[in-house]
Amino acid sequence: MKKILVAYVTKNMNSGINKYLYNVVDNIKKIYKNVEFDFLTSDEDENLKKHIENIGGKLYKISSLKNPIKRYNEIKEIIKKNNYDIIYINISESFNISTALAAKKEKVQRVVIHSHASGPSGKNNVIRFVRTLLNFLFKKIISSCGTVFLGCSKNAGVWM
């Protein structure tokens, strides 16, 4: 049995990210029967938990990005406890690095980092500047944590 940890789903069941991730899981399960998927979230609710359980996985609630050290430690313990073969990280900015760092620390063999943005989010120019700066600062670090790098576009890959 291969074990895969997917980061991150949201409580908005109909979000584009969730739909994309569930589609990936469904397609992999059609091809490979011995695969188990677990998911990380920072905004769990009962409907999300039930949905994940219905597709045969576990949902792990972790702290938000506002508490990065606690988040990192929680993820590291989840990885250590479950001995994952693959970590799949679906993110938009490189400063969302806690799962990648925890996977590297726990020596996970395959860490897939999938970029889904080609620039900073937010409408406020100051926030966009800070996010751009943080992305630049963490870009090299996150690159050292992954083994497979994907992007929804060439620009998204360059951004990450």
Side-chain angles (χ1 to χ4, degrees):
M1 175 73 66
K2 291 280 186 189
K3 293 184 76 170
I4 301 172
L5 180 64
V6 178
Y8 307 92
V9 291
T10 68
K11 68 181 176 183
N12 179 356
M13 297 291 290
N14 293 317
S15 75
I17 291 172
N18 284 16
K19 285 180 180 180
Y20 165 77
L21 291 172
Y22 299 149
N23 189 39
V24 168
V25 168
D26 288 344
N27 283 306
I28 290 172
K29 283 187 165 196
K30 287 176 186 171
I31 299 168
Y32 304 101
K33 301 302 179 203
N34 291 331
V35 180
E36 181 179 298
F37 289 89
D38 292 341
F39 295 81
L40 296 176
T41 188
S42 58
D43 57 305
E44 172 187 22
D45 76 348
E46 278 306 307
N47 289 333
L48 178 61
K49 187 174 181 179
K50 285 178 187 172
H51 180 77
I52 299 299
E53 289 171 354
N54 285 340
I55 62 173
K58 292 183 189 120
L59 181 65
Y60 291 98
K61 171 88 166 73
I62 56 171
S63 296
S64 75
L65 278 173
K66 293 177 183 174
N67 196 338
I69 295 170
K70 184 176 181 184
R71 181 180 176 104
Y72 166 79
N73 287 325
E74 291 167 348
I75 295 167
K76 191 170 66 122
E77 286 305 309
I78 292 166
I79 292 170
K80 187 185 293 186
K81 181 178 126 187
N82 291 289
N83 196 28
Y84 291 102
D85 299 292
I86 300 170
I87 308 285
Y88 176 83
I89 306 166
N90 189 58
I91 54 177
S92 297
E93 295 158 320
S94 65
F95 61 82
N96 190 351
I97 196 169
S98 50
T99 303
L101 286 173
K104 183 175 182 176
K105 175 74 173 169
E106 292 304 314
K107 297 178 174 54
V108 176
Q109 294 292 325
R110 178 97 46 213
V111 179
V112 180
I113 299 174
H114 192 174
S115 176
H116 269 268
S118 57
S121 62
K123 293 179 181 165
N124 181 305
N125 286 335
V126 173
I127 291 173
R128 289 177 62 81
F129 173 77
V130 170
R131 286 179 174 266
T132 300
L133 180 62
L134 287 171
N135 191 70
F136 175 77
L137 293 172
F138 283 95
K139 201 172 181 174
K140 188 167 185 154
I141 299 168
I142 202 164
S143 295
S144 73
C145 296
T147 59
V148 176
F149 301 93
L150 305 171
C152 63
S153 69
K154 183 175 181 168
N155 288 341
V158 169
W159 165 251
M160 187 68 66

Short mmCIF file of all heavy atoms in Angstrom, two decimals, residues 86-119:
data_model
loop_
_atom_site.label_atom_id
_atom_site.label_comp_id
_atom_site.label_asym_id
_atom_site.label_seq_id
_atom_site.Cartn_x
_atom_site.Cartn_y
_atom_site.Cartn_z
N ILE A 86 4.84 9.43 -0.51
CA ILE A 86 4.82 10.63 -1.35
C ILE A 86 4.10 11.74 -0.60
O ILE A 86 3.08 11.50 0.06
CB ILE A 86 4.08 10.36 -2.69
CG1 ILE A 86 4.76 9.25 -3.48
CG2 ILE A 86 3.98 11.65 -3.52
CD1 ILE A 86 3.96 8.76 -4.68
N ILE A 87 4.63 12.94 -0.73
CA ILE A 87 3.94 14.14 -0.24
C ILE A 87 3.66 14.99 -1.47
O ILE A 87 4.57 15.28 -2.25
CB ILE A 87 4.81 14.96 0.75
CG1 ILE A 87 5.35 14.10 1.88
CG2 ILE A 87 4.04 16.17 1.26
CD1 ILE A 87 4.38 13.71 2.94
N TYR A 88 2.41 15.37 -1.66
CA TYR A 88 2.00 16.21 -2.78
C TYR A 88 1.56 17.55 -2.21
O TYR A 88 0.58 17.63 -1.45
CB TYR A 88 0.86 15.55 -3.56
CG TYR A 88 0.34 16.41 -4.68
CD1 TYR A 88 0.98 16.43 -5.92
CD2 TYR A 88 -0.78 17.21 -4.50
CE1 TYR A 88 0.50 17.23 -6.94
CE2 TYR A 88 -1.25 18.01 -5.52
CZ TYR A 88 -0.61 18.01 -6.73
OH TYR A 88 -1.07 18.82 -7.75
N ILE A 89 2.29 18.61 -2.56
CA ILE A 89 2.04 19.93 -2.00
C ILE A 89 1.55 20.85 -3.11
O ILE A 89 2.27 21.14 -4.05
CB ILE A 89 3.33 20.51 -1.37
CG1 ILE A 89 3.90 19.52 -0.35
CG2 ILE A 89 3.04 21.86 -0.72
CD1 ILE A 89 5.32 19.84 0.08
N ASN A 90 0.33 21.29 -2.98
CA ASN A 90 -0.32 22.14 -3.95
C ASN A 90 -0.41 23.54 -3.36
O ASN A 90 -1.25 23.79 -2.49
CB ASN A 90 -1.71 21.56 -4.22
CG ASN A 90 -2.39 22.22 -5.37
OD1 ASN A 90 -1.88 22.23 -6.47
ND2 ASN A 90 -3.56 22.76 -5.12
N ILE A 91 0.48 24.45 -3.77
CA ILE A 91 0.54 25.77 -3.16
C ILE A 91 0.70 26.86 -4.21
O ILE A 91 0.99 26.58 -5.37
CB ILE A 91 1.68 25.87 -2.12
CG1 ILE A 91 3.03 25.47 -2.73
CG2 ILE A 91 1.36 25.05 -0.89
CD1 ILE A 91 4.21 25.60 -1.80
N SER A 92 0.55 28.10 -3.76
CA SER A 92 0.65 29.24 -4.67
C SER A 92 1.87 30.12 -4.41
O SER A 92 2.25 30.90 -5.27
CB SER A 92 -0.61 30.11 -4.56
OG SER A 92 -1.73 29.36 -4.95
N GLU A 93 2.45 30.01 -3.22
CA GLU A 93 3.59 30.86 -2.87
C GLU A 93 4.60 30.05 -2.06
O GLU A 93 4.23 29.25 -1.21
CB GLU A 93 3.12 32.08 -2.09
CG GLU A 93 2.24 32.97 -2.96
CD GLU A 93 1.32 33.90 -2.20
OE1 GLU A 93 0.75 33.48 -1.18
OE2 GLU A 93 1.18 35.03 -2.64
N SER A 94 5.88 30.28 -2.33
CA SER A 94 6.93 29.47 -1.72
C SER A 94 7.05 29.65 -0.22
O SER A 94 7.61 28.80 0.46
CB SER A 94 8.28 29.75 -2.39
OG SER A 94 8.69 31.07 -2.15
N PHE A 95 6.54 30.74 0.34
CA PHE A 95 6.63 30.90 1.79
C PHE A 95 5.68 29.96 2.55
O PHE A 95 5.77 29.83 3.76
CB PHE A 95 6.47 32.36 2.24
CG PHE A 95 5.14 32.99 1.90
CD1 PHE A 95 4.03 32.79 2.68
CD2 PHE A 95 5.05 33.80 0.79
CE1 PHE A 95 2.83 33.38 2.38
CE2 PHE A 95 3.85 34.42 0.47
CZ PHE A 95 2.73 34.20 1.26
N ASN A 96 4.82 29.26 1.83
CA ASN A 96 3.98 28.21 2.42
C ASN A 96 4.82 26.92 2.42
O ASN A 96 4.50 25.94 1.77
CB ASN A 96 2.70 28.05 1.61
CG ASN A 96 1.70 27.16 2.30
OD1 ASN A 96 1.99 26.53 3.30
ND2 ASN A 96 0.50 27.12 1.74
N ILE A 97 5.89 26.94 3.17
CA ILE A 97 6.97 25.97 3.06
C ILE A 97 6.95 24.88 4.13
O ILE A 97 7.71 23.92 4.06
CB ILE A 97 8.32 26.72 3.08
CG1 ILE A 97 9.46 25.85 2.59
CG2 ILE A 97 8.60 27.31 4.46
CD1 ILE A 97 10.73 26.61 2.34
N SER A 98 6.09 24.98 5.11
CA SER A 98 6.14 24.09 6.27
C SER A 98 6.06 22.61 5.91
O SER A 98 6.82 21.79 6.45
CB SER A 98 5.07 24.46 7.29
OG SER A 98 3.82 24.58 6.67
N THR A 99 5.20 22.23 4.98
CA THR A 99 5.08 20.82 4.61
C THR A 99 6.32 20.34 3.89
O THR A 99 6.81 19.24 4.14
CB THR A 99 3.83 20.59 3.75
OG1 THR A 99 2.68 21.04 4.47
CG2 THR A 99 3.64 19.11 3.43
N ALA A 100 6.86 21.16 3.01
CA ALA A 100 8.07 20.79 2.28
C ALA A 100 9.25 20.60 3.23
O ALA A 100 10.02 19.64 3.11
CB ALA A 100 8.39 21.83 1.22
N LEU A 101 9.39 21.51 4.19
CA LEU A 101 10.49 21.39 5.17
C LEU A 101 10.32 20.15 6.04
O LEU A 101 11.29 19.44 6.32
CB LEU A 101 10.56 22.64 6.05
CG LEU A 101 11.12 23.90 5.41
CD1 LEU A 101 10.96 25.09 6.35
CD2 LEU A 101 12.57 23.71 5.02
N ALA A 102 9.09 19.89 6.48
CA ALA A 102 8.83 18.71 7.31
C ALA A 102 9.10 17.43 6.53
O ALA A 102 9.68 16.49 7.07
CB ALA A 102 7.39 18.74 7.82
N ALA A 103 8.71 17.40 5.26
CA ALA A 103 8.97 16.21 4.42
C ALA A 103 10.46 15.98 4.25
O ALA A 103 10.94 14.85 4.31
CB ALA A 103 8.29 16.39 3.06
N LYS A 104 11.20 17.06 4.06
CA LYS A 104 12.66 16.94 3.91
C LYS A 104 13.28 16.44 5.22
O LYS A 104 14.12 15.54 5.21
CB LYS A 104 13.26 18.29 3.52
CG LYS A 104 14.76 18.22 3.27
CD LYS A 104 15.30 19.53 2.76
CE LYS A 104 16.79 19.41 2.49
NZ LYS A 104 17.32 20.65 1.91
N LYS A 105 12.85 17.00 6.33
CA LYS A 105 13.37 16.60 7.65
C LYS A 105 13.10 15.12 7.92
O LYS A 105 13.95 14.41 8.47
CB LYS A 105 12.74 17.47 8.74
CG LYS A 105 13.09 17.09 10.14
CD LYS A 105 14.49 17.48 10.48
CE LYS A 105 14.74 17.22 11.96
NZ LYS A 105 16.12 17.33 12.32
N GLU A 106 11.93 14.64 7.51
CA GLU A 106 11.55 13.24 7.74
C GLU A 106 12.01 12.32 6.61
O GLU A 106 11.65 11.15 6.57
CB GLU A 106 10.04 13.13 7.96
CG GLU A 106 9.57 13.78 9.24
CD GLU A 106 10.29 13.25 10.47
OE1 GLU A 106 10.43 12.01 10.60
OE2 GLU A 106 10.71 14.08 11.31
N LYS A 107 12.79 12.85 5.68
CA LYS A 107 13.40 12.08 4.60
C LYS A 107 12.39 11.34 3.72
O LYS A 107 12.59 10.18 3.34
CB LYS A 107 14.45 11.12 5.15
CG LYS A 107 15.61 11.82 5.82
CD LYS A 107 16.60 10.84 6.39
CE LYS A 107 17.84 11.47 6.95
NZ LYS A 107 17.73 12.49 7.93
N VAL A 108 11.28 12.01 3.39
CA VAL A 108 10.30 11.44 2.47
C VAL A 108 10.96 11.35 1.10
O VAL A 108 11.56 12.31 0.62
CB VAL A 108 9.02 12.29 2.43
CG1 VAL A 108 8.04 11.73 1.41
CG2 VAL A 108 8.38 12.37 3.81
N GLN A 109 10.84 10.19 0.46
CA GLN A 109 11.53 9.94 -0.81
C GLN A 109 11.04 10.79 -1.97
O GLN A 109 11.82 11.21 -2.81
CB GLN A 109 11.40 8.45 -1.19
CG GLN A 109 12.09 7.52 -0.23
CD GLN A 109 13.61 7.67 -0.30
OE1 GLN A 109 14.17 7.91 -1.35
NE2 GLN A 109 14.26 7.53 0.84
N ARG A 110 9.74 11.03 -2.05
CA ARG A 110 9.18 11.77 -3.18
C ARG A 110 8.34 12.92 -2.63
O ARG A 110 7.34 12.70 -1.96
CB ARG A 110 8.34 10.84 -4.04
CG ARG A 110 7.67 11.49 -5.19
CD ARG A 110 8.34 11.39 -6.53
NE ARG A 110 8.81 10.06 -6.84
CZ ARG A 110 9.90 9.84 -7.55
NH1 ARG A 110 10.62 10.82 -8.00
NH2 ARG A 110 10.29 8.61 -7.81
N VAL A 111 8.75 14.14 -2.96
CA VAL A 111 8.02 15.34 -2.55
C VAL A 111 7.71 16.14 -3.81
O VAL A 111 8.60 16.67 -4.47
CB VAL A 111 8.85 16.20 -1.56
CG1 VAL A 111 8.07 17.45 -1.17
CG2 VAL A 111 9.23 15.38 -0.33
N VAL A 112 6.43 16.18 -4.14
CA VAL A 112 5.96 16.87 -5.34
C VAL A 112 5.47 18.26 -4.93
O VAL A 112 4.61 18.38 -4.06
CB VAL A 112 4.80 16.10 -6.02
CG1 VAL A 112 4.31 16.83 -7.25
CG2 VAL A 112 5.23 14.67 -6.34
N ILE A 113 6.05 19.28 -5.54
CA ILE A 113 5.63 20.65 -5.27
C ILE A 113 4.99 21.19 -6.55
O ILE A 113 5.63 21.26 -7.59
CB ILE A 113 6.82 21.52 -4.82
CG1 ILE A 113 7.40 20.94 -3.53
CG2 ILE A 113 6.36 22.97 -4.64
CD1 ILE A 113 8.66 21.61 -3.05
N HIS A 114 3.70 21.52 -6.43
CA HIS A 114 2.90 21.94 -7.58
C HIS A 114 2.47 23.39 -7.39
O HIS A 114 1.70 23.70 -6.49
CB HIS A 114 1.68 21.03 -7.70
CG HIS A 114 0.95 21.18 -8.98
ND1 HIS A 114 -0.09 20.36 -9.32
CD2 HIS A 114 1.08 22.04 -10.02
CE1 HIS A 114 -0.56 20.71 -10.51
NE2 HIS A 114 0.14 21.73 -10.94
N SER A 115 2.96 24.26 -8.24
CA SER A 115 2.65 25.68 -8.16
C SER A 115 1.38 26.01 -8.94
O SER A 115 1.23 25.63 -10.09
CB SER A 115 3.81 26.48 -8.75
OG SER A 115 3.51 27.86 -8.77
N HIS A 116 0.49 26.74 -8.27
CA HIS A 116 -0.79 27.09 -8.89
C HIS A 116 -1.00 28.58 -9.02
O HIS A 116 -2.14 29.03 -9.12
CB HIS A 116 -1.94 26.47 -8.10
CG HIS A 116 -2.30 25.12 -8.61
ND1 HIS A 116 -3.27 24.91 -9.56
CD2 HIS A 116 -1.79 23.91 -8.33
CE1 HIS A 116 -3.34 23.63 -9.84
NE2 HIS A 116 -2.45 23.00 -9.11
N ALA A 117 0.09 29.35 -9.02
CA ALA A 117 -0.04 30.79 -9.20
C ALA A 117 1.17 31.31 -9.95
O ALA A 117 2.24 30.72 -9.91
CB ALA A 117 -0.16 31.49 -7.85
N SER A 118 0.99 32.42 -10.62
CA SER A 118 2.11 33.02 -11.35
C SER A 118 2.49 34.37 -10.77
O SER A 118 3.25 35.12 -11.36
CB SER A 118 1.75 33.16 -12.83
OG SER A 118 0.58 33.92 -12.98
N GLY A 119 1.95 34.68 -9.60
CA GLY A 119 2.26 35.93 -8.92
C GLY A 119 1.55 35.99 -7.59
O GLY A 119 0.83 35.07 -7.22
#
